[in-house]
Amino acid sequence: MASQLIFLGAPGSGKGTQAARVVSELGYVHLSTGDLLRSEIKSGSVLGKKVTAIMDAGKLVDDQTMIELLKANCDLSDKNYIFDGYPRNGDQAKVLDSEFLKGTSSKAIYFDIDLDLLAKRLVNRRTCGDCGEIYNLISKPPKTAGVCDKCGGHNLQQRKDDNEETVKTRLGVFREAIEPVLAHYQGQDRLIRVDASASSDAVFNELKQAIK
Ligand code: AP5
């Protein structure tokens, strides 16, 4: 098994959903740059204030800020990470290799899906504000409306950037930036594609085979 995993894919392609399953079955640590940024916003930090408008608009935070955020939150000496949401462009892919992944074995998994399917997934996503469990009002609704199946909390939230207009921007940003990222890993024979349009269980099975 690769010691470090890099999850690549469009907004809504299922990276966070599958990361949670890989963590609970295979013991990796989930490092989501989106989650890190959202917790900075929640805490009211200087960084949080700096990135709020950018994230609300669905644009990318600058590369230098992202490097500093990763450095502050990632210690590869004794952990096996899933990098979720990083890299987002060719330069970030190079930095991840040179600054973080040196001397480790890593594989990039691309969650491959037709982008036209994703707006519907994203506007229907709800996330438990207490335990982080991810739901979908269409494909994975909670058993009781508004209540988290996992922790029983009554705090299912819709992400601020999961509205139609911002989703359109996020998908456009992804489309423009992803090719050099895929080429980076493909060129080094480190890229594995999974069919992210399948059911969550089917994606997980394919992913497990790919990781082994
Ligand atoms: P981030 O938080 O990384 O968001 P994202 O990349 O847009 O990805 P999502 O979290 O929206 O999608 P996901 O693939 O995890 O989907 P999920 O599993 O939840 O980034 C947010 C923002 O932060 C960026 O816009 C940017 O501003 C900033 N940022 C972050 N990293 C950055 C970086 N490196 N550089 C610069 N800026 C950065 O699933 C979605 C929905 O689909 C759920 O409802 C789920 O239940 C459902 N679903 C999942 N799988 C399936 C399935 N197989 N079938 C049916 N439904 C499914």
Side-chain angles (χ1 to χ4, degrees):
M1 243 172 20
S3 68
Q4 313 296 331
L5 298 175
I6 303 151
F7 280 10
L8 307 171
S13 58
K15 305 177 298 293
T17 299
Q18 297 299 332
R21 299 184 72 163
V22 172
V23 166
S24 75
E25 269 200 35
L26 302 174
Y28 285 84
V29 175
H30 184 200
L31 190 84
S32 156
T33 46
D35 287 347
L36 292 175
L37 290 166
R38 280 183 288 279
S39 73
E40 293 289 340
I41 291 174
K42 203 171 167 192
S43 74
S45 69
V46 174
L47 171 57
K49 289 195 173 86
K50 177 174 152 186
V51 301
T52 300
I54 299 168
M55 290 180 72
D56 286 353
K59 307 262 177 69
L60 292 184
V61 173
D62 68 276
D63 288 353
Q64 190 54 39
T65 299
M66 295 310 299
I67 293 171
E68 283 160 24
L69 184 72
L70 269 192
K71 283 195 170 152
N73 288 282
C74 143
D75 170 12
L76 282 124
S77 61
D78 64 346
K79 291 195 181 73
N80 300 326
Y81 285 104
I82 298 171
F83 290 87
D84 168 4
Y86 194 99
R88 288 263 222 299
N89 57 37
D91 287 343
Q92 290 187 2
K94 287 181 198 145
V95 166
L96 186 60
D97 277 353
S98 62
E99 300 274 328
F100 298 95
L101 296 179
K102 271 179 296 189
T104 69
S105 64
S106 61
K107 286 209 164 131
I109 315 285
Y110 179 49
F111 288 72
D112 201 354
I113 185 167
D114 181 343
L115 300 194
D116 291 341
L117 300 173
L118 296 176
K120 193 172 166 196
R121 275 196 191 180
L122 287 165
V123 297
N124 286 293
R125 171 168 51 188
R126 298 293 182 273
T127 307
C128 176
D130 297 333
C131 74
E133 185 73 358
I134 301 169
Y135 295 92
N136 190 281
L137 298 181
I138 294 168
S139 60
K140 190 193 165 194
K143 290 190 181 89
T144 306
V147 181
C148 178
D149 298 345
K150 192 173 170 196
C151 74
H154 289 63
N155 190 16
L156 298 193
Q157 300 173 350
Q158 180 168 24
R159 256 170 57 177
K160 218 171 161 192
D161 58 352
D162 278 349
N163 62 75
E164 272 182 38
E165 196 190 330
T166 309
V167 163
K168 209 182 279 177
T169 304
R170 288 162 62 201
L171 291 171
V173 166
F174 171 82
R175 197 180 274 116
E176 275 175 25
I178 191 63
E179 283 309 326
V181 181
L182 297 180
H184 177 88
Y185 294 108
Q186 185 87 58
Q188 299 175 5
D189 209 15
R190 290 157 67 200
L191 184 69
I192 296 164
R193 290 171 190 261
V194 297
D195 175 9
S197 66
S199 70
S200 183
D201 286 347
V203 176
F204 185 54
N205 287 333
E206 196 183 343
L207 192 51
K208 275 200 292 191
Q209 293 308 316
I211 292 170
K212 277 175 190 159

